[in-house]
Amino acid sequence: MTQFERYKNELYRYALRTVWDRGVAEDVFAAAVLAAWENWHRFEPGSNFRAWMYKILTNKCFVANRDTMRTPRPLDDTPESSFVELGNDRGYADILEDSDRFMQECGDEVHRAFAHCSPKERACLLLRAEKLSYNEIAEVMGIPAPTVMTHLARGRAKLRSELLEYARERGLVRNLPRLLEKEAPDEHTQRMQNE
Amino acid sequence: MLNRTEKDHLWMANLDREVTPAEALHFQQQLSETEQTRMAHEVHLEELLVERLLEGPDCPEALWRSIAGQVAQRKPARVSRRPVFAWAAGLAAAAALVLVAGAAWMALNRAVPEALAVNAPTVEALAAESQTTPDRAAVETFLRDHDFALALNDFDAMPPASEHAVALLGARDSDTDGMVELLYNCCGRPMKLYLARPGSEGAQLLAEAGRRGGLLEQKTIGGYAAGVAGNHHADNLLRVLTALEA
């Protein structure tokens, strides 16, 4: 049990962030540890125990989410966000320039924004946050590494877009995208206009 | 010229430092001054976001004690390891011969019974056979109405993610007693998932077809016989079914 003990806190938090409900997270976490224990013979000594545990736990979390969300949700028809294109937004630039202050303003908003990501995006983001490599995440999720990168890019773009939206509502950033925003008139022009 | 996804991948790999120093340097050289500034800011923002995402309580001690207690009552499964004898190689060779002969026999007898054949030439033709709308709720109602205590899972939401594009087309009664058919489109090919009540004619048919190698997949789910037929090997299609608790 030493290995389990070593990772219990991070695995527990991962379950909490993936299934949201504390009661379900505890059940899922317990089921994953017991499943790993019962399948110990399948674990190859010397291989990555942490990734193996995440794989079992991710499966349990996905099944739990499936069971608790049986009603199909309507398809999200908002345009796909691109991480790179976010850079064109003046408001987003404001966030980047003073991200420490912005994050203090955000409070729990990060978790609300995180909820807008798809289950696979959330899992990839959390696993990456726990410093798993792309190949380890690919192994845990059973998907190719480029797909992991796509989930990460989309997840990060969604997370940032949601935070940007929040910042706009709170008046924390400029409201116009960079391409649409007019340069502020200089003092001379301003004076002429006023006259 | 890179497309949007490729650009995103490039930024991800550099943000996550999943590149060699030479690749990172090359990437930096491609960026404008504004983009370089943005990348530096992104690294910092990502650190703050990760910190916030990982915030949360530790595993409660009471929960861990309860799990440890359950673990103590269960022994981990072990693979029995017997000593290797000299005759093991001979035995393996004999087993291989039996397998080859068996495979040849299976190949000769591999015939899908007519009742289990997927005759629809296209997914559109198969969809036209459906007696329900192509959604999970309708098919689950159909199953309930036919006394199958089974639920359908969302194939796409199940890890490991499948490389196959699977879509539910609907469900229909089978001509065989005690059996229903779930209709699927897998990668543009028509597929059928057969379900039969235990002891029914359908269950016998599935068991026989399974023995003759006529099914792509076969197993018992919640006491019901289930099998998959079609001209395309779906990726573990039977995963879509879950037995409902009585």
Side-chain angles (χ1 to χ4, degrees):
Chain A
M1 285 295 279
T2 320
Q3 297 212 62
F4 291 95
E5 186 112 30
R6 185 174 167 199
Y7 297 111
K8 68 177 184 189
N9 290 331
E10 70 170 74
L11 290 167
Y12 175 74
R13 279 192 289 267
Y14 175 79
L16 266 183
R17 290 279 167 260
T18 312
V19 298
W20 300 111
D21 181 277
R22 183 181 289 260
V24 178
E26 292 189 353
D27 289 348
V28 161
F29 172 69
V33 174
L34 291 173
W37 181 251
E38 285 174 350
N39 289 285
W40 188 246
H41 61 287
R42 295 190 182 166
F43 174 67
E44 290 175 27
S47 62
N48 190 337
F49 172 78
R50 192 165 168 245
W52 184 65
M53 269 314 296
Y54 269 115
K55 187 171 191 169
I56 294 171
L57 184 56
T58 302
N59 271 295
K60 298 276 179 202
C61 288
F62 275 49
V63 169
N65 279 337
R66 193 189 65 214
D67 290 345
T68 51
M69 295 190 298
R70 298 207 62 83
T71 315
R73 285 185 300 178
L75 283 174
D76 183 3
D77 57 358
T78 50
E80 205 63 70
S81 317
S82 157
F83 183 84
V84 173
E85 286 165 12
L86 259 179
N88 296 332
D89 196 303
R90 182 62 65 88
Y92 184 61
D94 286 350
I95 290 179
L96 282 180
E97 276 162 23
D98 197 359
S99 48
D100 288 296
R101 189 183 63 87
F102 174 70
M103 289 297 285
Q104 279 172 5
E105 297 274 353
C106 267
D108 207 35
E109 197 57 25
V110 176
H111 294 304
R112 193 197 61 78
F114 187 58
H116 281 80
C117 299
S118 74
K120 284 179 185 170
E121 287 161 359
R122 288 206 304 268
C124 285
L125 286 171
L126 285 172
L127 293 168
R128 182 62 216 175
E130 291 288 1
K131 305 266 184 295
L132 268 73
S133 70
Y134 286 175
N135 285 337
E136 285 173 327
I137 300 173
E139 161 104 29
V140 168
M141 303 278 295
I143 54 179
T147 312
V148 171
M149 293 165 87
T150 302
H151 286 318
L152 282 173
R154 285 185 189 161
R156 283 173 172 154
K158 272 187 205 169
L159 185 57
R160 284 158 169 77
S161 298
E162 287 296 325
L163 291 175
L164 175 59
E165 199 60 37
Y166 167 77
R168 286 212 163 99
E169 282 166 15
R170 298 280 307 269
L172 301 172
V173 295
R174 278 169 280 188
N175 256 332
L176 289 172
R178 176 184 291 174
L179 296 176
L180 300 176
E181 191 174 20
K182 288 179 185 168
E183 287 296 324
D186 57 26
E187 276 182 38
H188 175 73
T189 317
Q190 186 80 56
R191 208 168 39 243
M192 294 289 284
Q193 281 173 353
N194 290 341
E195 284 168 10
Chain B
M1 189 72 180
L2 297 176
N3 65 29
R4 214 165 81 144
T5 306
E6 288 166 337
K7 275 186 200 165
D8 274 354
H9 282 192
L10 210 52
W11 275 71
M12 288 306 104
N14 280 276
L15 185 60
D16 289 322
R17 298 187 180 93
E18 287 250 352
V19 286
T20 63
E23 286 168 335
L25 184 66
H26 180 69
F27 178 68
Q28 284 286 329
Q29 286 167 349
Q30 306 296 313
L31 298 180
S32 66
E33 204 173 316
T34 320
E35 287 171 326
Q36 285 186 22
T37 312
R38 181 188 167 194
M39 179 52 100
H41 285 319
E42 286 288 2
V43 170
H44 184 57
L45 176 62
E46 185 63 21
E47 283 168 1
L48 297 173
L49 285 170
V50 162
E51 202 177 294
R52 194 63 62 85
L53 283 180
L54 295 182
E55 274 173 5
D58 282 350
C59 173
E61 270 312 308
L63 174 66
W64 186 246
R65 274 200 305 275
S66 147
I67 295 170
Q70 291 178 63
V71 162
Q73 290 168 6
R74 303 178 191 200
K75 286 183 179 174
R78 289 177 191 282
V79 179
S80 63
R81 297 183 195 281
R82 296 170 188 277
V84 179
F85 295 104
W87 45 265
L91 189 64
L97 269 176
V98 171
L99 277 175
V100 169
W105 183 86
M106 292 270 284
L108 287 172
N109 289 279
R110 187 186 175 99
V112 184
E114 182 52 34
L116 299 181
V118 181
N119 293 321
T122 61
V123 289
E124 289 77 18
L126 188 66
E129 293 179 13
S130 176
Q131 294 165 350
T132 73
T133 50
D135 60 90
R136 276 164 53 203
V139 172
E140 283 180 334
T141 306
F142 174 90
L143 287 174
R144 255 197 320 276
D145 292 346
H146 287 73
D147 296 329
F148 285 88
L150 292 167
L152 281 182
N153 305 319
D154 180 0
F155 197 83
D156 288 335
M158 286 185 290
S162 171
E163 294 301 315
H164 292 257
V166 179
L168 179 65
L169 298 174
R172 69 184 289 266
D173 277 318
S174 167
D175 297 333
T176 309
D177 182 49
M179 189 155 80
V180 293
E181 301 172 1
L182 306 191
L183 315 177
Y184 278 92
N185 168 0
C186 181
C187 303
R189 312 267 182 85
M191 305 285 298
K192 281 187 181 179
L193 196 162
Y194 294 97
L195 289 171
R197 280 189 285 277
S200 67
E201 187 190 337
Q204 287 169 19
L205 190 68
L206 283 172
E208 178 60 23
R211 272 196 294 275
R212 292 163 69 99
L215 294 172
L216 296 167
E217 280 181 67
Q218 183 194 19
K219 72 174 171 183
T220 304
I221 303 169
Y224 305 101
V228 175
N231 298 320
H232 177 60
H233 207 306
D235 186 7
N236 201 358
L237 192 56
L238 289 177
R239 284 193 300 155
V240 296
L241 287 164
T242 303
L244 292 174
E245 286 175 20

